[in-house]
Amino acid sequence: EAGVAQSPRYKIIEKRQSVAFWCNPISGHATLYWYQQILGQGPKLLIQFQNNGVVDDSQLPKDRFSAERLKGVDSTLKIQPAKLEDSAVYLCASSMGPRTDTQYFGPGTRLTVL
Amino acid sequence: SQKIEQNSEALNIQEGKTATLTCNYTNYSPAYLQWYRQDPGRGPVFLLLIRENEKEKRKERLKVTFDTTLKQSLFHITASQPADSATYLCAHGQNFVFGPGTRLSVLP
């Protein structure tokens, strides 16, 4: 079974530039999550999708971050404009259902903002 | 706000010994907790889930306990091996709140 795919694996940008990350969840998984993991910290949930609808985006900085999951499969997370403090690993995860189900994480995208 | 705390210090133990990692939670009562393993450059991998009505859960060399009175979960790795070296994360799965993780190093 293929795992969660993410791209790119690494990205370096200047502050105030924009960047987009892509995630392809495990086939058949209805729930998709985006996390931000700053070095030395645990993952922090940014947004949760159930199929193509948003379940929870309470911790998403909506002035600069946006995410979509068209057709309930792939998802993109965008940052525009980026700030220095956005430097982190962005993890995508998926699960079959919204609660208690095991989450399967992708390898993450490491973003460096200069 | 809901918070999960873990030993922020790295834990170094000798191969063959039992590693014990601690997870404490405050300001809420989770129905269950999850433990994940994270290797450098990789995403977390799910290990075990324990519910509030379960005192203990085992999987091979892993054991997790859940003490709702102490608001604490303990994660044990028995007969530890160098391959167990990684960062271990505790999470309140229901609300997707993760602790900072504890880095474990098993020395040969």
Side-chain angles (χ1 to χ4, degrees):
Chain A
E1 178 183 86
V4 176
Q6 290 188 248
S7 68
R9 290 297 314 276
Y10 306 92
K11 190 74 176 178
I12 300 174
I13 62 172
E14 301 274 337
K15 60 183 179 184
R16 290 187 288 274
Q17 286 187 320
S18 61
V19 64
F21 313 125
W22 174 82
C23 173
N24 186 16
I26 291 173
S27 177
H29 281 193
T31 309
L32 185 147
Y33 315 79
W34 282 102
Y35 289 87
Q36 178 193 60
Q37 186 173 25
I38 293 172
L39 188 64
Q41 299 181 19
K44 171 188 166 185
L45 180 68
L46 293 176
I47 189 167
Q48 177 192 356
F49 291 95
Q50 179 69 15
N51 295 310
N52 60 350
V54 176
V55 175
D56 181 1
D57 64 356
S58 58
Q59 298 193 92
L60 186 73
K62 298 181 187 62
D63 57 333
R64 298 185 300 106
F65 286 64
S66 65
E68 60 182 10
R69 191 183 183 197
L70 299 176
K71 301 180 181 179
V73 182
D74 293 7
S75 177
T76 56
L77 176 70
K78 297 179 182 177
I79 307 175
Q80 182 180 9
K83 292 185 175 181
L84 296 177
E85 58 261 36
D86 298 332
S87 294
V89 174
Y90 291 85
L91 295 162
C92 178
S94 69
S95 66
M96 291 195 67
R99 297 289 182 189
T100 72
D101 281 356
T102 299
Q103 292 186 52
Y104 297 85
F105 284 82
T109 296
R110 180 176 296 278
L111 173 67
T112 301
V113 182
L114 302 175
Chain B
S1 63
Q2 299 173 359
K3 193 174 181 181
I4 287 189
E5 297 173 338
Q6 296 184 252
N7 297 22
S8 58
E9 301 289 329
L11 178 62
N12 298 323
I13 63 166
Q14 211 64 38
E15 181 177 7
K17 300 292 186 182
T18 296
T20 298
L21 284 64
T22 305
C23 172
N24 295 294
Y25 56 91
T26 57
N27 299 329
Y28 66 107
S29 297
Y32 63 93
L33 290 169
Q34 296 177 323
W35 283 87
Y36 288 79
R37 169 184 172 141
Q38 187 171 26
D39 291 284
R42 295 176 176 259
V45 174
F46 172 78
L47 296 175
L48 282 168
L49 179 153
I50 184 164
R51 301 183 189 283
E52 60 180 344
N53 61 348
E54 297 174 318
K55 295 295 184 185
E56 181 180 297
K57 201 83 168 277
R58 291 177 184 263
K59 178 183 176 182
E60 297 172 352
R61 294 184 296 110
L62 309 179
K63 183 179 85 171
V64 174
T65 63
F66 195 171
D67 189 325
T68 55
T69 302
L70 294 178
K71 292 184 178 290
Q72 182 180 83
S73 175
L74 297 179
F75 177 82
H76 306 272
I77 305 176
T78 58
S80 59
Q81 305 165 1
D84 295 326
S85 298
T87 295
Y88 291 86
L89 300 161
C90 174
H92 175 202
Q94 207 164 6
N95 290 342
F96 311 113
V97 176
F98 281 79
T102 298
R103 189 169 75 247
L104 172 67
S105 295
V106 181
L107 308 174

